[in-house]
Amino acid sequence: MKTCDIIGISDSRRVWFPPEVMDAIKNGCVFSGGIRHHEIVGQLLPKDAVWIDITVPLEKVFEQYMYYDHVVIFASGDPLFFGFANTVQRECKEVRMRVFPSPNSLQMLAHRMGVAYDDMRVVSLTGRDWQKLDEALIHGERMIGCLTDRTKTPHTIHQRMTEYGYTDYQMTVGENLGNEDKERVSPYDDKTVYEHPNCIILQKTAQKGRFRCAFGIPDNEFALLDGREKMITKMPIRLLTLQALELPKKHVLWDIGFCTGSISIEARLQFPHLQIEAFEIRPECEAIIQENARRFGTPGISVNMGDFLQATIPADSPTGHPDAVFIGGHGGHLKEIMAKVLTVLAPDGCIVMNSVKAPKVTTDSHQLLDEACQELGLRQESPMRIVIDEHHPIEILKCKR
């Protein structure tokens, strides 16, 4: 395939195209699109037209395209808006492409609702994870437009938002937009069965006083391990630790020995773009971090239970390339933990830990870190020593390759 025309269409059965699009169809020989697209435009195609269904795996579709010099492709809405044109650009970089857009589904839904959408945060959940929606919710965006799929439906989206306390949004669902017989726009109702395709718009109804807007969560607001306040990284230390981790420019944070999850949760609130992997060996901590995540509205923290040293970490997965690592607990195995981290740590990554300077502490974490860095060839930065109220001094320690 050397050239292609990609024509955006709505779900309307009253098909109308401008003259330049009709010319592209009239002069075409090979056409492609989904089954639904063929149902809509099939009567407009030449009698001897070749049709290539767009189905997964897409590799086989593009293999068929390569047999022809020119293909006319039908796609939904604006093909450059999370659409098939993006895929063509990625898979066929040398192909010359013309795009004829139609309004995308979120534009249509905003028009049906009669709302301005110039500052709408757009999130695609079609074949994607929850990360971008979580990020938009934590940021407290005024309006969020969501493209759904058959698993991330209005119901599963509503359930997730409710679980993490995001009840200050009104959800409007648009189904079969553009289809004269099936189109429906309605407020979300948990008893309604929604047809696919659909999309949703979330509109903020109130500015709730949630901790996601705060800078530093008070320690006494966390659910604690056995109610012990000493088993949490104190808020000022927590914020200085996040600063040491250089999180504004990082992508993947590992929190090893998360206990209550305070580091992971604070990081998720302040830097929701992060992918966070939290590790803990004590099974009772799993319920605690989940409770705290719901309490503070921080979905998306991946919790990994068990001995970190026994965990299998695929080197080719996103989880396998942290660029910021906090070690909150090591059980005397600091060097072994750091050695394992180094097998996947990004080149610009850093490792941070806190060391308590107390008379009854038998294992000096600072000394253990010094020994580990020397053996593993890591470069240490100057420690930061902090004293809070009547607590023992804390040293924030940091090292890099």
Side-chain angles (χ1 to χ4, degrees):
M1 183 172 66
K2 297 177 181 177
T3 63
C4 70
D5 292 327
I6 305 183
I7 301 169
I9 62 174
S10 74
D11 211 35
S12 173
R13 268 50 181 178
R14 299 171 186 169
V15 184
W16 179 89
F17 290 121
E20 62 267 30
V21 174
M22 290 303 299
D23 287 342
I25 295 173
K26 179 181 178 181
N27 296 323
C29 297
V30 181
F31 300 85
S32 184
I35 295 174
R36 181 171 60 91
H37 301 139
H38 190 268
E39 292 173 353
I40 295 171
V41 303
Q43 74 276 12
L44 300 178
L45 306 183
K47 292 183 179 180
D48 56 350
V50 174
W51 180 269
I52 300 172
D53 277 325
I54 296 178
T55 57
V56 292
L58 290 178
E59 291 83 358
K60 294 188 178 298
V61 176
F62 283 99
E63 286 177 8
Q64 295 180 70
Y65 288 172
M66 292 303 109
Y67 290 111
Y68 306 98
D69 289 334
H70 180 76
V71 180
V72 178
I73 302 170
F74 294 95
S76 298
D78 182 352
L80 286 168
F81 183 79
F82 298 99
F84 196 69
N86 300 1
T87 306
V88 173
Q89 287 181 327
R90 184 177 65 248
E91 299 295 329
C92 307
K93 294 182 174 58
E94 303 301 320
V95 171
R96 288 186 288 113
M97 180 175 67
R98 291 193 305 171
V99 176
F100 303 94
S102 288
N104 66 64
S105 59
L106 287 173
Q107 285 179 303
M108 296 174 70
L109 180 54
H111 292 163
R112 303 294 192 268
M113 296 167 61
V115 297
Y117 62 95
D118 49 311
D119 65 342
M120 180 169 64
R121 174 75 175 271
V122 176
V123 171
S124 176
L125 296 174
T126 307
R128 295 170 168 85
D129 60 25
W130 293 104
Q131 170 63 24
K132 292 300 182 182
L133 176 59
D134 293 345
E135 187 175 339
L137 291 170
I138 293 171
H139 276 306
E141 300 286 354
R142 182 190 72 86
M143 180 185 289
I144 306 170
C146 296
L147 302 174
T148 65
D149 63 16
R150 295 186 183 277
T151 58
K152 292 183 174 61
T153 66
H155 292 308
T156 58
I157 292 168
H158 184 266
Q159 290 167 6
R160 186 176 182 85
M161 292 175 64
T162 301
E163 179 180 0
Y164 289 96
Y166 291 94
T167 57
D168 50 340
Y169 282 90
Q170 176 180 309
M171 179 189 295
T172 302
V173 184
E175 304 166 77
N176 299 300
L177 293 171
N179 187 314
E180 295 80 5
D181 299 323
K182 295 183 177 182
E183 179 179 296
R184 180 171 60 174
V185 174
S186 59
Y188 173 79
D189 185 298
D190 60 4
K191 297 179 177 60
T192 298
V193 176
Y194 292 105
E195 290 190 16
H196 191 81
N198 59 61
C199 62
I200 67 173
I201 287 181
L202 303 170
Q203 293 173 285
K204 203 166 183 59
T205 57
Q207 186 63 47
K208 297 176 67 175
R210 293 182 52 78
F211 284 101
R212 62 177 179 265
C213 301
F215 184 70
I217 304 170
D219 300 334
N220 60 5
E221 297 294 339
F222 281 96
L224 302 172
L225 177 62
D226 299 328
R228 292 181 289 170
E229 292 186 8
K230 291 184 179 180
M231 298 301 289
I232 186 173
T233 304
K234 297 295 182 290
M235 187 260 285
I237 302 298
R238 197 159 62 240
L239 296 180
L240 288 170
T241 298
L242 300 189
Q243 184 275 333
L245 287 163
E246 306 172 15
L247 296 183
K249 59 182 181 181
K250 301 300 185 181
H251 300 92
V252 181
L253 168 65
W254 280 9
D255 181 4
I256 301 174
F258 63 73
C259 191
T260 62
S262 64
I263 289 288
S264 290
I265 287 166
E266 193 81 68
R268 186 70 169 150
L269 282 177
Q270 305 304 334
F271 310 102
H273 71 279
L274 289 170
Q275 175 185 329
I276 301 178
E277 299 288 336
F279 300 85
E280 177 58 61
I281 194 171
R282 292 168 288 191
E284 61 269 29
C285 291
E286 183 174 13
I288 294 172
I289 192 173
Q290 290 174 345
E291 164 61 23
N292 284 326
R294 289 190 292 268
R295 185 175 295 187
F296 301 113
T298 54
I301 297 172
S302 178
V303 176
N304 305 271
M305 301 305 300
D307 187 346
F308 175 79
L309 292 175
Q310 302 300 318
T312 300
I313 302 168
D316 58 348
S317 78
T319 304
H321 298 282
D323 47 9
V325 176
F326 175 69
I327 301 178
H330 53 79
H333 300 285
L334 180 59
K335 185 177 70 174
E336 294 91 332
I337 290 172
M338 291 176 63
K340 185 167 185 174
V341 167
L342 287 177
T343 63
V344 290
L345 186 68
D348 61 343
C350 64
I351 301 173
V352 172
M353 66 176 293
N354 298 330
S355 175
V356 181
K357 293 298 181 181
K360 295 183 180 180
V361 175
T362 57
T363 303
D364 188 332
S365 294
H366 194 159
Q367 181 180 347
L368 291 176
L369 182 73
D370 289 344
E371 295 171 358
C373 288
Q374 185 174 3
E375 291 189 35
L376 298 172
L378 296 174
R379 172 173 54 86
Q380 292 176 261
E381 296 190 2
S382 298
M384 182 184 300
R385 186 181 178 92
I386 306 292
V387 178
I388 299 176
D389 299 328
E390 302 300 321
H391 298 290
H392 294 298
I394 301 287
E395 288 185 328
I396 300 176
L397 311 174
K398 181 177 181 179
C399 60
K400 295 182 176 181
R401 291 186 185 276

